[in-house]
């Protein structure tokens, strides 16, 4: 059983901050921090493909040849099956590589979250789990990402949504603590 109660919730329980391995989450959809090739990689991407099995890669290849022959642009999102995962869907998004902050990284990171949520809505899912997109190999500063993500979620849940709960899944407790520190002033102190 996966611990999904979270260590902190915001916006009346719509946002749950938690820690763990996202591939184990029992949610309707999990988001993958992919790269534009959609053909897999390391980090959370590698973990999702390993846990979900070859059906995910197969669908990614089809999406590449039918919709995105040049690769999925940064900030965009597409959905595939969850394969063998508990989650029925994987929503693949490409976060920005950090280049110092003057190449539109902030907006692109927010696009990744917004577009992933839009895909989740279009699938009619109620629960969706996000990893900390771009904050691993892609080098986006974690504190800066936290503020940007908190703002997207505050705005997103200001109107009624099909998505009821967004889980923000951090691999390490210290990353979750850092998120909470940055998000509290934006999302309210929460519970
Ligand atoms: N569950 C939850 N979070 C995880 C897991 C997991 N199983 N594994 C890693 N993380 P990264 P990026 C955290 O590097 O920065 C890939 O090669 C990790 O601690 O996975 O967007 C892709 O193919 C970090 O906080 O994604 C791309 O080429 C966060 O997930 C590139 O990396 C994101 O780290 C994308 O880089």
């Amino acid at each position: 059983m996966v611990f999904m109660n979270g260590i902190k919730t915001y916006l009346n329980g719509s946002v749950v901050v938690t820690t763990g391995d996202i591939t184990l989450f029992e949610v309707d959809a999990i988001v993958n921090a992919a790269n534009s090739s959609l053909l897999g990689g390391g980090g959370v991407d590698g973990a999702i493909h390993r846990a979900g099995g070859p059906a995910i890669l197969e669908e990614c290849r089809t999406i590449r040849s039918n919709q995105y022959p040049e690769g999925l642009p940064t900030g965009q999102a597409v959905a595939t099956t969850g394969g063998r995962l508990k989650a029925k869907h994987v929503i693949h998004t490409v976060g920005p590589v950090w280049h110092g902050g003057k190449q539109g990284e902030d907006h692109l990171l927010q696009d990744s979250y917004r577009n992933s949520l839009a895909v989740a809505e279009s699938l009619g899912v109620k629960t969706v789990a996000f990893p900390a997109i771009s904050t691993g190999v892609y080098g986006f500063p974690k504190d800066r990402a936290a503020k940007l993500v908190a703002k997207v979620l505050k705005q997103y849940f200001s109107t009624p949504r099909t998505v009821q709960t967004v889980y923000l899944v951090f691999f390490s407790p210290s990353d979750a603590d850092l998120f909470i520190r940055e998000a509290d002033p934006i999302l309210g102190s929460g519970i």
Side-chain angles (χ1 to χ4, degrees), residues 19-184:
T19 58
D21 177 354
I22 201 169
T23 65
L24 302 175
F25 271 59
E26 296 174 20
V27 285
D28 299 328
I30 65 173
V31 176
N32 182 17
N35 59 63
S36 67
S37 81
L38 291 179
L39 301 179
V44 74
D45 192 7
I48 288 171
H49 280 281
R50 272 194 304 279
I56 299 176
L57 187 58
E58 209 174 291
E59 223 178 305
C60 282
R61 286 190 203 283
T62 308
I63 291 169
R64 277 296 305 275
S65 40
N66 293 350
Q67 283 173 264
Y68 293 104
E70 312 279 307
L72 184 67
T74 305
Q76 300 300 302
V78 292
T80 65
T81 174
R84 295 194 296 254
L85 295 169
K86 296 267 192 219
K88 192 169 172 212
H89 312 278
V90 175
I91 298 168
H92 306 261
T93 188
V94 184
V97 177
W98 180 255
H99 289 295
K102 294 194 175 138
Q103 296 188 32
E105 293 97 325
D106 289 355
H107 280 117
L108 290 167
L109 185 69
Q110 291 188 311
D111 283 351
S112 274
Y113 280 85
R114 279 197 205 100
N115 287 322
S116 296
L117 288 165
V119 170
E121 286 283 330
S122 75
L123 295 167
V125 308
K126 294 199 169 115
T127 54
V128 50
F130 281 82
I133 297 164
S134 283
T135 64
V137 175
Y138 279 1
F140 203 107
K142 292 173 183 178
D143 52 348
R144 187 167 174 136
K147 290 193 198 84
L148 294 164
V149 172
K151 284 177 192 162
V152 167
L153 292 172
K154 185 172 183 181
Q155 208 217 351
Y156 180 73
F157 282 116
S158 65
T159 53
R161 300 291 182 178
T162 311
V163 174
Q164 288 170 359
T165 315
V166 167
Y167 292 87
L168 299 177
V169 184
F170 295 92
F171 218 20
S172 76
S174 62
D175 285 353
D177 288 346
L178 190 151
F179 177 86
I180 287 166
R181 228 174 14 251
E182 299 296 332
D184 270 359

